[in-house]
Amino acid sequence: MKSIIQSALQNSHSYTEYRIIVSKLISEGKSTGKEQSADLLHYSELNEVRMKRLEKTLKLDPEVEKTLQNLKSKQTWLVISEGWCGDAAQILPIIKLISEASENIDLKLVFRDENEELIHLFLTNGAKSIPKLLVLDESFNLINHWGPRPEGAKNLIIEYKANHGIVDEAAKTALQKWYLDDKGISTMKEIVAILQ
């Protein structure tokens, strides 16, 4: 596992680099990842708008900030993502905000489809669900991991799927509304909880 993580880190990007790569691909009519489709491009474009809004409006929860200021050991946070992922668009700006609250956190991002071995270590019910946050110590050993979505959002999708049999556009709309109403608080608190 450690060698796979270290290999991914060698090909990782800062948050800013990640955003530039995704934006450039969109300007070329492409999405990130191996698969290309009009739908994935459309989701990527929507996510660009969402992320820009969140980057301007998100506020760090005071309790979360206090916990982060007490973080004494250096950590690397490695996030597995893709530009077309709706959950990633909601969660990455939160992870960035959290990481900026502590000088002991170094945030790195990798693309899922470029890191098959890595994502296969962190499957969710057998699926390559993203985003995934890997919290690593100074020696790049895995401390903990989190993702792909906070508990409330996860439960919303589970219930919707149980009632309707599929995750359709109505489910995706309900999920985006959940994220909007939550204002990132659940994600912040869940991530900080795995650090303790």
Side-chain angles (χ1 to χ4, degrees):
M1 177 188 284
K2 192 171 177 179
S3 64
I4 293 170
I5 289 171
Q6 285 181 315
S7 175
L9 281 168
Q10 288 171 0
N11 299 308
S12 65
H13 308 280
S14 69
Y15 181 87
T16 304
E17 289 166 347
Y18 172 90
R19 296 282 282 117
I20 289 168
I21 292 166
V22 173
S23 296
K24 186 175 183 299
L25 284 168
I26 290 169
S27 74
E28 296 167 2
K30 299 176 189 169
S31 65
T32 63
K34 292 177 184 170
E35 203 179 310
Q36 296 294 318
S37 72
D39 281 347
L40 289 175
L41 177 59
H42 174 68
Y43 293 137
S44 300
E45 291 167 339
L46 279 177
N47 291 340
E48 275 285 278
V49 174
R50 286 182 183 129
M51 290 181 79
K52 283 178 185 168
R53 177 181 50 80
L54 287 166
E55 288 162 356
K56 289 178 188 165
T57 60
L58 275 174
K59 300 278 185 268
L60 197 61
D61 179 79
E63 284 177 45
V64 168
E65 189 169 17
K66 190 176 174 187
T67 304
L68 290 165
Q69 287 166 352
N70 294 326
L71 189 64
K72 300 298 179 220
S73 58
K74 295 233 177 271
Q75 298 179 350
T76 298
W77 287 14
L78 180 60
V79 181
I80 308 168
S81 187
E82 289 288 350
W84 45 259
C85 176
D87 289 299
Q90 295 288 352
I91 292 167
L92 291 184
I94 299 167
I95 292 174
K96 176 185 176 269
L97 185 67
I98 296 171
S99 71
E100 289 173 342
S102 173
E103 60 188 21
N104 286 322
I105 299 170
D106 183 23
L107 178 61
K108 299 289 181 189
L109 291 97
V110 292
F111 293 98
R112 183 193 74 178
D113 290 2
E114 294 173 7
N115 292 274
E116 287 284 336
E117 280 188 298
L118 183 64
I119 192 62
H120 279 281
L121 294 173
F122 299 96
L123 298 176
T124 304
N125 301 321
K128 298 187 286 183
S129 302
I130 50 173
K132 284 284 173 135
L133 165 64
L134 313 182
V135 179
L136 311 170
D137 68 13
E138 287 182 84
S139 302
F140 306 110
N141 296 304
L142 183 70
I143 298 170
N144 215 330
H145 62 91
W146 180 91
R149 55 175 68 112
E151 202 64 31
K154 182 176 91 176
N155 291 338
L156 182 147
I157 292 299
I158 289 168
E159 287 171 27
Y160 191 94
K161 205 169 179 181
N163 292 330
H164 300 90
I166 57 164
V167 175
D168 56 13
E169 285 305 315
K172 291 175 185 174
T173 301
L175 181 61
Q176 293 307 320
K177 186 181 180 322
W178 184 92
Y179 279 120
L180 195 64
D181 293 343
D182 185 67
K183 295 180 173 40
I185 300 299
S186 296
T187 301
M188 289 178 203
K189 290 185 174 178
E190 286 182 28
I191 289 174
V192 165
I194 71 166
L195 304 179
Q196 298 168 4

